């Protein structure tokens, strides 16, 4: 396995050397349809909730290319040219973006997002990747997503969400939720990307990932550059999947705290870079110090 340089900046090498992830751990993907026939997914465990959650081998519209690249960061074969951070887990896809023409990303609604979150939660996933953003919605639409995130949080699901690439200083109903880890992209100099969104909730609850130079799976069996907060969120989701695969009895709030580096209350609008190995060492130390009878037991997942 040749680790891509951006991943070394967030200390993923030792964690990836230790594990590819557990097949019993289910990771949800809210995005477009995935080209599951890409040779980079040979051996990957990918399930779909609906027929349109996968795309044909020649799909090259924006929604399919984007989703395939996100999935490549997560579960591609590590020799494919894509990271395949958690290549051993089971990926459960749920597309909310319809097939669209080349150069068009298609559109999705807040209702579709909320439905997808509920469906993935009920399908038994433990972490959901959301490398997407939606247009500003009305308060009623925000309530749908709030309720869906509450549903996920009540069942111990962590949602990893891209902060967005609009260059704004703001937060959303998603980034402010307690079950969500917002993610920003950093450049090679260790600074937030020029277009990445930042904000109070993002700075307090989130982490950052260097994405300059990252590669993932592309259209027609290719490998392509993949960056921005979409790629950054996928890297964090992969790290969460590996941490939970190695330490399955860790409570969601413990894992989120370790991922953020156990900070005191932040006042910055910019989150720090993720350190995946430091999070593992912290959680592993907590587990070894606890008497067996006091160790956290995972909640029963409702199906």
């Amino acid at each position: 396995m040749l680790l891509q340089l951006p991943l070394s900046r967030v200390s993923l090498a030792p964690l990836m050397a230790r594990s590819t992830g557990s097949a019993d751990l289910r990771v949800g993907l809210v995005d477009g349809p995935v080209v599951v026939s890409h040779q980079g997914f040979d051996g990957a465990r990918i399930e779909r909730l609906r027929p349109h959650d996968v795309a044909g081998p020649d799909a090259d519209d924006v929604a399919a290319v984007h989703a395939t690249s996100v999935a490549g960061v997560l579960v591609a074969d590590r020799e494919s040219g894509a990271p395949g951070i958690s290549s051993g887990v089971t990926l459960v896809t749920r597309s909310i973006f319809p097939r669209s023409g080349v150069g068009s990303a298609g559109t999705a609604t807040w209702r579709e997002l909320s439905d997808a979150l509920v469906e993935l939660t009920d399908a038994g996933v433990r972490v959901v990747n959301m490398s997407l953003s939606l247009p500003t919605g009305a308060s009623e639409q925000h309530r749908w997503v709030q309720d869906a995130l509450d549903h996920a949080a009540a069942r111990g699901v962590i949602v990893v969400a891209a902060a967005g690439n609009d260059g704004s200083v703001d937060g959303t109903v998603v980034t402010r939720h307690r079950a969500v880890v917002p993610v920003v992209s950093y450049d090679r100099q260790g600074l937030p990307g020029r277009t990445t969104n930042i904000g109070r909730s993002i700075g307090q609850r989130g982490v950052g990932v260097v994405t300059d130079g990252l590669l993932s799976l592309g259209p027609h069996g290719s490998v392509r550059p993949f960056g921005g907060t979409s790629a950054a969120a996928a890297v964090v989701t992969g790290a969460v999947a590996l941490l939970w695969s190695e330490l399955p009895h860790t409570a969601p709030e413990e894992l989120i705290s370790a991922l953020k580096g156990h900070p005191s209350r932040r006042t910055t609008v910019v989150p720090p870079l993720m350190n995946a190995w430091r999070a593992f060492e912290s959680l592993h130390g907590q587990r070894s110090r606890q008497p067996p009878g006091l160790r956290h037991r995972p909640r029963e997942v409702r199906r």
Side-chain angles (χ1 to χ4, degrees):
M1 176 190 70
L2 180 62
L3 187 73
Q4 295 187 31
L5 180 61
L7 303 185
S8 67
R9 296 289 300 274
V10 291
S11 301
L12 265 170
L15 194 57
M16 290 175 65
R18 184 183 179 97
S19 174
T20 59
S22 170
D24 293 333
L25 192 140
R26 296 165 68 79
V27 175
L29 175 60
V30 180
D31 211 290
V34 177
V35 181
V36 298
S37 59
H38 193 297
Q39 64 266 27
F41 292 129
D42 288 350
R45 299 174 180 86
I46 303 178
E47 299 179 6
R48 60 185 180 184
L49 292 185
R50 299 185 178 188
H52 71 269
D53 294 340
V54 299
D58 296 325
D60 56 6
D61 58 283
V62 171
V65 171
H66 184 274
T68 301
S69 294
V70 173
V73 173
L74 295 169
V75 297
D77 186 306
R78 290 182 179 176
E79 303 300 323
S80 67
I85 294 170
S86 51
S87 56
V89 305
T90 298
L91 185 69
V92 185
T93 68
R94 173 61 162 84
S95 175
I96 64 170
F97 291 97
R99 295 294 306 279
S100 56
V102 176
S104 171
T107 58
T109 68
W110 290 88
R111 172 60 80 185
E112 287 170 322
L113 173 59
S114 61
D115 289 347
L117 287 169
V118 170
E119 290 173 23
L120 286 167
T121 298
D122 292 346
V125 305
R126 295 199 72 185
V127 55
V128 175
N129 187 94
M130 287 173 43
S131 291
L132 54 87
S133 61
L134 294 176
T136 302
S139 59
E140 179 185 5
Q141 295 172 319
H142 292 173
R143 172 52 60 185
W144 297 337
V145 175
Q146 176 76 40
D147 290 345
L149 290 169
D150 288 345
H151 180 74
R155 286 153 181 79
V157 176
I158 292 175
V159 178
V160 179
N165 304 303
D166 304 313
S168 65
V169 181
D170 199 3
T172 68
V173 64
V174 174
T175 64
R176 290 190 289 267
H177 198 278
R178 69 187 187 281
V180 173
V181 179
V183 185
V184 306
S185 62
Y186 275 67
D187 61 25
R188 295 182 183 182
Q189 286 70 48
L191 300 173
R194 182 174 53 86
T195 62
T196 192
N197 294 350
I198 54 177
R200 181 178 178 184
S201 61
I202 297 168
Q204 289 178 348
R205 305 188 52 80
V207 292
V209 172
V210 175
T211 58
D212 282 2
L214 193 71
L215 301 174
S216 192
L217 304 185
H220 308 297
S222 67
V223 174
R224 75 177 187 107
F226 185 47
T229 60
S230 289
V235 171
V236 174
T237 298
V240 171
L242 292 185
L243 291 169
W244 246 338
S245 293
E246 289 296 293
L247 302 165
H249 301 308
T250 303
E253 58 272 18
E254 291 176 332
L255 197 153
I256 291 175
S257 180
L259 202 65
K260 296 190 299 180
H262 299 284
S264 57
R265 187 168 180 82
R266 297 177 189 156
T267 57
T268 177
V269 296
V270 181
L273 281 174
M274 177 180 71
N275 187 316
W277 184 246
R278 183 178 61 193
F280 171 77
E281 289 185 316
S282 173
L283 292 169
H284 188 265
Q286 291 178 39
R287 298 264 75 77
S288 63
R289 290 193 298 269
Q290 290 181 355
L294 296 180
R295 293 179 184 172
H296 173 78
R297 296 182 179 179
R299 300 174 183 173
E300 179 182 354
V301 176
R302 298 180 184 178
R303 297 183 182 274

